[in-house]
Amino acid sequence: MENFDGISALSTELNAKKKGSGLSIFTHEFFDQSVTWADIAWLKSITSLPVVVKGVLTAEDAEHAISAGVAAIIVSNHGARQLDGVSSTIMALSEVVRQVGGRVEVYVDGGVRTGTDILKALALGARAVFLGRPVLYALAVSGEQGVRDILTMLAKELKLAMQLSGQTDVNDLSKDLVVHESRIARL
């Protein structure tokens, strides 16, 4: 129970402020709201590592990121925890990929739960996908072996999805594999 030491003091402090929910107060205080695209130049000046920006959901932000000199973009809505009602990553991916036009790599993070999710993201132009919740849940349930199991399961699901859609190479996937529900309604 040592992990919870001081939690009542924090709760009392948050309740005293009463300017919103505890999550809202935490987010406001934890995240630096003064960060701008210009800060990427500073970050690039202090490291030789490639700078990758996460949280891009629009063509405009993709262009800002490229102009700032990033090495890659991660299309992410941060698990949709930061802003309720924000676009899903799979819905934003095509717009970002189209805007980027191959100038930097595009990855996707969020909403990836199955091998077919991976297939769709790759077909829509993501170079790779990142996994959050599936890995965390597997780790919580079965530790390292759980993570191995979920990664094996996702790889098998991706392989099956590719086979069932007649695909043999992830580098040859086409966005035509993904049909949006609005297109089905017109058929």
Side-chain angles (χ1 to χ4, degrees):
M1 296 308 284
E2 290 178 18
N3 291 338
F4 297 102
D5 284 350
I7 197 77
S8 62
L10 176 62
S11 179
T12 302
E13 179 184 337
L14 291 175
N15 285 333
K17 293 181 181 180
K18 281 297 182 193
K19 294 181 183 172
S21 71
L23 178 60
S24 174
I25 294 166
F26 170 79
T27 301
H28 179 75
E29 292 181 0
F30 183 77
F31 294 107
D32 183 351
Q33 297 180 14
S34 68
V35 174
T36 69
W37 292 109
D39 292 315
I40 292 175
W42 166 80
L43 186 57
K44 288 182 66 174
S45 76
I46 64 168
T47 183
S48 60
L49 295 171
V51 174
V52 178
V53 67
K54 179 181 177 186
V56 173
L57 291 172
T58 66
E60 294 81 11
D61 280 349
E63 196 57 47
H64 284 300
I66 291 170
S67 295
V70 301
I73 291 172
I74 301 175
V75 175
S76 175
N77 61 15
H78 308 291
R81 295 182 311 273
Q82 310 309 323
L83 183 60
D84 190 31
V86 71
S87 176
S88 69
T89 56
I90 200 72
M91 294 300 290
L93 182 59
S94 291
E95 177 182 337
V96 171
V97 167
R98 193 170 32 257
Q99 184 66 34
V100 166
R103 293 178 284 169
V104 298
E105 289 190 343
V106 177
Y107 312 123
V108 69
D109 172 55
V112 179
R113 306 285 188 270
T114 66
T116 54
D117 292 335
I118 296 169
L119 178 71
K120 287 183 269 186
L122 296 175
L124 291 174
R127 178 77 173 112
V129 300
F130 289 82
L131 301 170
R133 290 181 188 155
V135 171
L136 290 174
Y137 295 161
L139 183 63
V141 170
S142 299
E144 180 182 341
Q145 187 58 50
V147 174
R148 291 180 193 277
D149 291 345
I150 193 70
L151 294 176
T152 299
M153 183 183 80
L154 289 168
K156 286 179 180 179
E157 289 177 357
L158 174 59
K159 181 179 179 181
L160 178 61
M162 288 187 62
Q163 290 170 336
L164 292 174
S165 59
Q167 305 302 306
T168 58
D169 188 337
V170 293
N171 295 310
D172 296 333
L173 298 177
S174 164
K175 65 181 177 181
D176 295 332
L177 284 172
V178 182
V179 178
H180 189 270
E181 64 187 14
S182 64
R183 190 167 149 210
I184 294 171
R186 289 185 274 138
L187 295 177

